[in-house]
Amino acid sequence: METRTVLWILTFFGFWVNYMLRNNINIAIVAMVKDKISNETMVNECASVANNTFFESLTAASSKHSAQEVTFDWDEYQQGLVLSSYFWIHWLTEIPGGILSHHFGFKKVVGVSNFLTAVGTFLIPFSAKYSFNVLMALRIFQGFVSGTIWPSFHAMTAKWIPQKERGSFVSSYLGSSVGIAFTYAVSGYIIDAYGWEYVFYMQGLLGILWSIAWMLLVYDSPSVHPWISTKEKVFILNSLGDTLHEEGKLPIPWKNILTSRPVWINHIAQFGTTWGLFALITESPSYLKFIHGLDIKSTGIFSGIPHLTRWIFAYIFGIVTQHQKAVSIGRIRMLATTLCTIGVGMTILIISFSGCNVMVAVIMLIVAVTLQGTIPAGPMAKVIDMSPNFSGVVQGISGTLSVLSGFIGPILVGNLTQNNQTSVQWQKFFIITAVICSSTGALDLIFGTSKLQPWNSVKPELSKEQQSTQAKLLSRKSRRK
């Protein structure tokens, strides 16, 4: 098995773990919070309409778990704080994550970040029972240590993956979607059978096991990997060419990065698509329960299915575009970005006007999240195309800006629905989301690019390892002639 395949598998499950640990509270909070009379009244607004639909059979099942478990008297605003606190200082470590990976390697940064997040997950039940403020502090800590993940994985992709393979390889990032689908669906059954605490115990253990496997099997570059074949090493190094300084010691061109119009257009596009994604990830469980009256298992299933279809679509899109010779990489990036911004915005707009039609709401939710599957081949891949050498740093800046949506969105929902859980109030949130997604996508469609930027073009001297590898390659070519 090629090392790039092993790397794809570990990256896939790395994002699975990371998004499982950051999002499990989105579904668990539905069971953690006491039902209020006002909420029961509001659920009836749409639950009564859904009673004669296909969903009746899914919501009719009773819980197997005892009602003795601890629940909390948190209002909508407090729930918004719990869901958003993860992102409050998450942005502080986005740029440092890129810098640390650039200078010291992505392996340790990713491994330690996911490990600490997993340990924090074990402590959520205790902290929630002890104090609301302690729970908030723990979630803030988890968000802080996880901020390094995305830029570090970008640095990894730049060092290991040739440009033509990036669209399909970056689909491994959508392990995040499968992780969410798994988390929502399985968590619903765990909560139903054992209680919400076991969601955090079981999934925290999975996170620790992955971190151990990552530290044992991954290396920072093809040159230092002890098991990689000479053939694969030569292929990777020659495919990357002089666009990448493998040793990662180049000075970071901060002025060029911070004043680059293509980079800022990409930042804006990533903000728009991240706002839409986080809105659907974070808020769909509460929306399906409080507006459409689905039980915990059904809420988990229909919150999770869209993220599974998202990954499938991302993988297929990446494979198809990788072997597409008739269309340029630039046009593929443009199509992908348009689908995950404007396409998603239009779909969310339909959700906003779906009212109490749970069938339309669920179908459009699936379509919207599925279209988000083009993010890896669109704005994410653009970062690496524009600057392989500094992709971790650039993605760190983009992540810093994009993460704003992670805590603004839940707080906005909390304020809109405070003691007023109605489809009209949720409609306002979905319309705002549709406008943000579509407008940022339109801006990228007009002004965006994926071309290699001149400030990335540095031709360093080859290391002894690289010289030896190239000499072997030239020797083989001469023999064939």
Side-chain angles (χ1 to χ4, degrees), residues 106-342:
F106 61 85
K107 174 181 176 177
K108 292 180 180 178
V109 178
V110 171
V112 172
S113 295
N114 264 351
F115 178 80
L116 291 177
T117 305
V119 172
T121 299
F122 273 104
L123 300 177
I124 286 179
F126 169 79
S127 62
K129 295 172 185 177
Y130 185 80
S131 165
F132 179 81
N133 290 333
V134 172
L135 172 62
M136 293 284 290
L138 182 58
R139 288 292 290 169
I140 291 170
F141 169 77
Q142 285 184 298
F144 178 79
V145 298
S146 291
T148 61
I149 294 291
W150 273 98
S152 298
F153 272 119
H154 253 52
M156 173 204 70
T157 302
K159 288 185 176 183
W160 273 93
I161 309 302
Q163 187 182 45
K164 286 291 288 184
E165 295 182 5
R166 286 172 188 163
S168 58
F169 181 86
V170 178
S171 67
S172 64
Y173 291 18
L174 270 298
S176 59
S177 284
V178 182
I180 296 169
F182 171 87
T183 300
Y184 284 170
V186 173
S187 294
Y189 282 88
I190 292 174
I191 293 169
D192 184 67
Y194 305 107
W196 60 264
E197 294 98 331
Y198 285 87
V199 167
F200 302 108
Y201 297 146
M202 294 179 181
Q203 294 172 7
L205 177 61
L206 287 177
I208 290 176
L209 292 176
W210 177 89
S211 299
I212 294 172
W214 173 265
M215 295 303 292
L216 291 175
L217 299 175
V218 170
Y219 292 84
D220 282 311
S221 74
S223 294
V224 299
H225 198 296
W227 308 317
I228 189 173
S229 68
T230 302
K231 179 181 178 181
E232 185 180 11
K233 182 188 294 186
V234 169
F235 171 73
I236 294 173
L237 294 178
N238 283 279
S239 297
L240 295 176
D242 60 4
T243 64
L244 179 69
H245 189 294
E246 192 176 0
E247 302 303 320
K249 300 299 183 181
L250 294 176
I252 300 172
W254 287 107
K255 181 179 179 180
N256 297 102
I257 292 174
L258 296 176
T259 58
S260 171
R261 189 179 79 169
V263 167
W264 277 101
I265 293 297
N266 185 267
H267 290 336
I268 293 171
Q270 286 207 47
F271 176 84
T273 194
T274 303
W275 177 285
L277 180 60
F278 282 178
L280 297 170
I281 290 175
T282 307
E283 303 301 337
S284 59
S286 296
Y287 170 69
L288 292 175
K289 178 189 177 181
F290 294 132
I291 299 302
H292 294 291
L294 302 188
D295 70 2
I296 189 66
K297 291 187 291 185
S298 300
T299 295
I301 291 171
F302 291 113
S303 296
I305 286 176
H307 298 283
L308 182 60
T309 59
R310 178 183 182 234
W311 175 75
I312 294 172
F313 182 63
Y315 187 76
I316 293 173
F317 189 89
I319 292 294
V320 170
T321 55
Q322 177 181 333
H323 298 285
Q324 179 57 256
K325 298 180 180 180
V327 182
S328 67
I329 291 178
R331 291 188 179 277
I332 290 172
R333 302 287 186 254
M334 182 185 299
L335 172 62
T337 304
T338 301
L339 288 175
C340 67
T341 52
I342 299 174

Side-chain angles (χ1 to χ4, degrees), residues 76-77 80-81 84 88 283 406-416:
E76 286 82 1
Y77 180 71
L81 292 179
S84 66
W88 287 4
E283 303 301 337
F407 64 82
I408 294 175
I411 292 176
L412 177 60
V413 170
N415 280 287
L416 287 173

